[in-house]
Amino acid sequence: MSQGEYVAAAYGVVFIALLVYVAIIAAKLARLERETAELAELARTRCGDV
Amino acid sequence: MTNSVPALAALAAALVGVAIAFAFFVAPEDADQGISQRIFYFHVPIALTAYACFGWGAYKGLLLLWRKDERNDLESYVAIHQGTIFGSLTLLTGSIWAKASWGHWWLWSENQLVLFLVLFLFYSAYFMLRFSIEEGPRRANISAVYALFGVVLIPVSFLAIRLAENIIHPTVFTRDGPQMTGVMFLTFCIAWLAMSVLAYALYRLELLGKRLDSNLRELRELLT
């Protein structure tokens, strides 16, 4: 590998790690959104029962 | 707190962009190491950010033990989590730089490298300890004490490079000041600021997610 390729690899590792982190946070946000919708539905059902 | 996260993320992205532009287009090429020296502009700020995250986690642990405020437990955990992410990036970028400069991915004879690895493994074990204990005040207290013990390793790891006699790891910051040109030092400072803001944005984002998760769990328990 040339010196330039090592530099690209080092910066690439940081970039990929950031992308993975953002993907994990996005997946978590999607789950939280789903759970919020479920809870809102549950709350609406409860209000309808009363 | 919620509203500042997008602004922080935008600032971090802009600063990282400026840091990359300075590292590749403004800073001069190092006469000794050539182009591989440009790894320094991200490797060292990432390492310093990892130290700061571990230190912040320990400080939050101290606050938990002192004030008994449960919020500090989550903040300490998230800071240490950020520290391990930046720590693993330090080890990866450092290994690539070592291979480019010294011809080796890793040298066990280098105190700086080994001590950073010890610090990283110590805080990696924090998660094993934390998740082996049931959630509650006992887990929070034990985690805080562990986080505080680890903080002792930070100055040892940082100073190892200066105390070691037989080293090949470069020492850039000496008693005579930074051993680089003004533009190189400016590039380093911008990259350090970029990494600090990025780490803080990620810290706030993760904290936001964890708190939202906890509130939703509480709401679910109330509704079911």
Side-chain angles (χ1 to χ4, degrees):
Chain A
M1 271 174 89
S2 69
Q3 296 279 303
E5 284 170 330
Y6 282 118
V7 176
Y11 279 79
V13 159
V14 178
F15 182 68
I16 288 166
L18 265 176
L19 276 185
V20 169
Y21 190 88
V22 169
I24 290 168
I25 293 288
K28 188 172 182 169
L29 276 176
R31 180 177 62 81
L32 289 176
E33 191 188 19
R34 209 168 46 240
E35 281 185 20
T36 311
E38 281 173 21
L39 285 175
E41 185 57 38
L42 193 64
R44 270 195 290 272
T45 313
R46 284 288 169 89
C47 287
D49 290 345
V50 175
Chain B
M1 179 180 168
T2 313
N3 293 336
S4 65
V5 175
L8 261 174
L11 180 66
L15 281 169
V16 169
V18 172
I20 290 173
F22 263 74
F24 285 95
F25 305 112
V26 180
E29 194 159 303
D30 185 68
D32 183 35
Q33 290 193 46
I35 193 171
S36 69
Q37 184 269 344
R38 294 189 197 275
I39 298 173
F40 160 85
Y41 299 116
F42 264 42
H43 170 69
V44 178
I46 287 171
L48 293 175
T49 307
Y51 287 137
C53 289
F54 291 139
W56 187 250
Y59 169 68
K60 287 289 173 181
L62 179 69
L63 284 184
L64 173 88
L65 295 171
W66 190 10
R67 295 182 186 164
K68 303 287 175 199
D69 186 349
E70 281 182 20
R71 279 181 314 172
N72 290 311
D73 176 49
L74 187 64
E75 289 174 8
S76 174
Y77 161 74
V78 171
I80 291 169
H81 187 229
Q82 293 295 323
T84 48
I85 292 169
F86 279 86
S88 48
L89 284 176
T90 305
L91 291 168
L92 282 169
T93 55
S95 272
I96 294 168
W97 192 13
K99 181 68 179 166
S101 292
W102 311 333
H104 300 280
W105 293 106
W106 185 265
L107 284 174
W108 287 105
S109 56
E110 286 297 298
N111 289 344
Q112 170 78 0
L113 272 59
V114 175
L115 278 166
F116 191 88
L117 181 66
V118 169
L119 177 72
F120 173 75
L121 291 176
F122 183 91
Y123 277 112
S124 297
Y126 167 92
F127 301 99
M128 289 160 69
L129 173 78
R130 186 178 174 87
F131 293 113
S132 65
I133 305 166
E134 209 171 307
E135 199 176 336
R138 187 169 163 263
R139 181 173 89 169
N141 288 340
I142 292 173
S143 299
V145 170
Y146 191 89
L148 270 172
F149 270 120
V151 87
V152 178
L153 290 167
I154 297 173
V156 176
S157 171
F158 186 76
L159 291 171
I161 188 171
R162 283 147 189 91
L163 299 174
E165 287 169 6
N166 186 19
I167 53 163
I168 56 171
H169 189 289
T171 311
V172 177
F173 299 100
T174 64
R175 284 177 186 172
D176 303 321
Q179 302 300 301
M180 58 182 120
T181 66
V183 181
M184 283 176 158
F185 184 60
L186 175 70
T187 307
F188 166 77
C189 289
I190 292 168
W192 190 8
L193 181 68
M195 282 304 143
S196 304
V197 175
L198 177 68
Y200 188 57
L202 295 178
Y203 167 77
R204 295 281 291 268
L205 182 66
E206 192 173 335
L207 211 49
L208 199 67
K210 296 260 183 244
R211 282 183 180 147
L212 191 59
D213 203 13
S214 164
N215 288 342
L216 279 178
R217 216 180 314 146
E218 208 173 308
L219 192 60
R220 186 180 287 275
E221 278 168 17
L222 286 170
L223 282 168
T224 51

